[in-house]
C-alpha cells in the first residue's frame, strides 16, 4: 500500500540486504512495518508490528476477511474520521485514500481546490488491491510501540524502518535519541539489527543508494546501517 516513507521502490535491495545477515529459516521482525512495502519482500517467517493503531486494525481486519471498498465517497471519507481507530474503515480512508495530502494523515482536505465526486475511487481501488494482495503475507501482525519493548534475547533479524530524523508527516512524535539507545541494546540480543535512515549515529553502512531525484532538499542517500 502506498505509504509515507514506504520502501516499495527499493524493496529488492532492502530484502537482499536483510538476507545477507539472516541464516536460513530465521525470522525477520519489522517493528515499523507501515504499509508492508518492505515486509512482503522477505522470504520465510516475517513478523510485523507498528505503533499506529488504525493501521494495525486495518491490516488485521483484512487478514480476517474484511474486504475494503473499491469506491469511497467524499461523505464516507469525511465520516470515517469520526470512527474509532479500531474500525478498519477509519484506517482505510486515512491510509488508503490520500489524494493530495500525505498518506496517513487525512490531510487532503487542507487543499483549497474542491475534490470532484468520485475522486477517491482510484486511490481506494489501488489501496484495496494492495491490501488484499499483501496483508495476509506476513506470519503475524500486531500493534507494538518499539520504544516501549524491553530488549530481550531473540533469534531474529530486526529490520527497522522508523520515521526518519527531520521528516514530518506522522501523527505522533518519535523519540529519535531513545530509538538509537534501543537499537544499541537490541543489537546485543538479536541475531542482527538493521536500520534504514539517511544518517544514523551508530553502526556501519551496509547498503546505500541515491534516491528521490531532485527535490528542494536535494537528493538523499538512502542507507541501511548494521548496528553492533
Ligand atoms: C517509514 S514508515 C515504515 C514504512 C514501511 N517500511 C513500508 O515500506 O511501507 C515508519 C512507520 O513507523 C511507525 N512508527 C512510528 N513510531 C513508532 C514506534 N514508536 N513504534 C513502532 N512503530 C512506530 C509509523 O506508524 C510508520 O508506519
Amino acid at each position: 500500500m502506498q505509504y509515507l516513507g514506504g520502501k516499495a521502490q527499493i524493496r529488492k535491495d532492502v530484502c537482499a540486504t536483510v538476507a545477507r545477515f539472516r541464516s536460513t529459516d530465521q525470522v525477520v521482525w519489522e517493528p515499523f512495518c507501515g504499509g508492508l512495502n518492505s515486509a512482503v519482500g522477505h522470504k520465510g517467517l516475517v513478523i510485523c508490528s507498528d505503533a499506529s493503531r488504525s493501521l494495525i486494525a486495518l491490516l488485521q481486519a483484512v487478514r480476517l476477511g474484511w474486504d475494503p471498498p473499491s469506491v469511497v465517497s467524499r461523505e464516507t471519507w469525511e465520516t470515517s474520521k469520526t470512527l474509532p481507530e479500531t474500525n478498519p474503515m477509519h484506517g482505510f480512508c486515512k491510509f488508503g485514500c490520500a489524494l493530495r495530502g500525505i498518506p496517513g494523515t487525512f490531510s487532503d482536505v487542507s487543499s483549497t481546490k474542491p475534490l470532484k465526486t468520485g475522486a477517491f475511487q482510484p486511490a481506494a481501488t489501488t489501496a484495496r488491491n494492495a491490501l488484499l494482495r499483501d496483508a495476509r503475507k506476513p506470519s503475524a501482525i500486531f500493534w507494538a510501540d518499539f520504544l516501549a519493548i524491553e530488549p530481550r534475547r531473540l533469534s531474529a533479524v530486526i529490520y527497522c524502518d522508523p520515521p526518519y530524523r527531520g521528516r514530518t508527516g506522522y501523527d505522533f512524535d518519535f523519540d529519535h535519541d531513545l530509538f538509537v539507545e534501543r537499537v544499541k541494546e537490541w543489537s546485543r540480543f538479536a541475531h542482527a539489527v538493521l536500520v534504514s535512515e539517511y544518517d544514523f549515529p551508530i553502526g556501519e553502512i551496509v547498503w546505500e543508494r541515491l534516491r528521490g531525484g531532485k527535490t528542494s532538499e536535494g537528493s538523499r542517500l538512502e542507507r541501511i546501517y548494521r548496528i553492533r
Side-chain angles (χ1 to χ4, degrees), residues 1-8 34-37 50 52 54-55 58 77 90-110 120 123-124 126-127 130-131 163 167-172:
M1 181 170 62
Q2 217 191 351
Y3 202 84
L4 178 65
K7 296 288 180 286
L36 304 178
N37 292 294
D50 198 282
S52 168
S54 47
L55 173 75
L58 169 63
W77 188 83
H90 178 99
F92 184 67
C93 290
K94 182 176 180 184
F95 292 100
C97 301
L99 294 180
R100 295 186 291 239
I102 302 166
T105 59
F106 279 123
S107 59
D108 304 330
V109 283
S110 61
F120 291 103
T126 306
L131 284 163
R167 289 277 153 143
T168 50
Y170 299 97
D171 52 5
F172 44 86

Side-chain angles (χ1 to χ4, degrees), residues 54-69:
S54 47
L55 173 75
I56 294 299
L58 169 63
L59 294 173
Q60 285 179 338
V62 175
R63 285 165 73 84
L64 290 172
W66 186 67
D67 189 355

Side-chain angles (χ1 to χ4, degrees), residues 22-218:
R22 183 185 186 193
S23 50
T24 324
D25 296 337
Q26 201 159 35
V27 175
V28 176
W29 174 28
E30 285 214 17
F32 301 88
C33 68
L36 304 178
N37 292 294
S38 39
V40 295
H42 307 294
K43 293 193 173 78
L45 276 178
V46 183
I47 307 291
C48 293
S49 58
D50 198 282
S52 168
R53 292 195 188 278
S54 47
L55 173 75
I56 294 299
L58 169 63
L59 294 173
Q60 285 179 338
V62 175
R63 285 165 73 84
L64 290 172
W66 186 67
D67 189 355
S70 48
V71 179
V72 170
S73 68
R74 172 89 201 208
E75 197 185 351
T76 304
W77 188 83
E78 291 291 351
T79 310
S80 74
K81 288 190 263 180
T82 63
L83 295 172
E85 287 185 318
T86 47
N87 187 317
M89 201 55 196
H90 178 99
F92 184 67
C93 290
K94 182 176 180 184
F95 292 100
C97 301
L99 294 180
R100 295 186 291 239
I102 302 166
T105 59
F106 279 123
S107 59
D108 304 330
V109 283
S110 61
S111 170
T112 47
K113 287 186 197 154
L115 288 168
K116 290 185 195 135
T117 312
F120 291 103
Q121 182 164 351
T125 303
T126 306
R128 175 179 180 267
N129 292 343
L131 284 163
L132 294 179
R133 184 189 62 220
D134 294 338
R136 287 194 188 91
K137 287 185 181 166
S139 315
I141 297 184
F142 56 96
W143 181 91
D145 176 353
F146 179 73
L147 301 180
I149 304 175
E150 283 305 318
R152 64 198 71 178
R153 189 150 296 286
L154 193 69
S155 176
V157 174
I158 306 177
Y159 166 63
C160 298
D161 183 20
Y164 285 8
R165 200 182 273 269
R167 289 277 153 143
T168 50
Y170 299 97
D171 52 5
F172 44 86
D173 291 333
F174 187 70
D175 186 338
H176 293 275
D177 295 331
L178 179 58
F179 175 65
V180 173
E181 291 309 311
R182 282 301 203 197
V183 289
K184 212 189 289 179
E185 287 175 56
W186 272 108
S187 70
R188 289 173 34 223
F189 293 113
H191 183 76
V193 178
L194 300 164
V195 174
S196 272
E197 246 294 6
Y198 291 135
D199 249 314
F200 202 61
I202 57 169
E204 57 168 329
I205 297 166
V206 291
W207 175 87
E208 66 181 9
R209 194 172 107 185
L210 206 54
R211 195 190 175 202
K214 283 180 191 158
T215 65
S216 53
E217 298 156 353

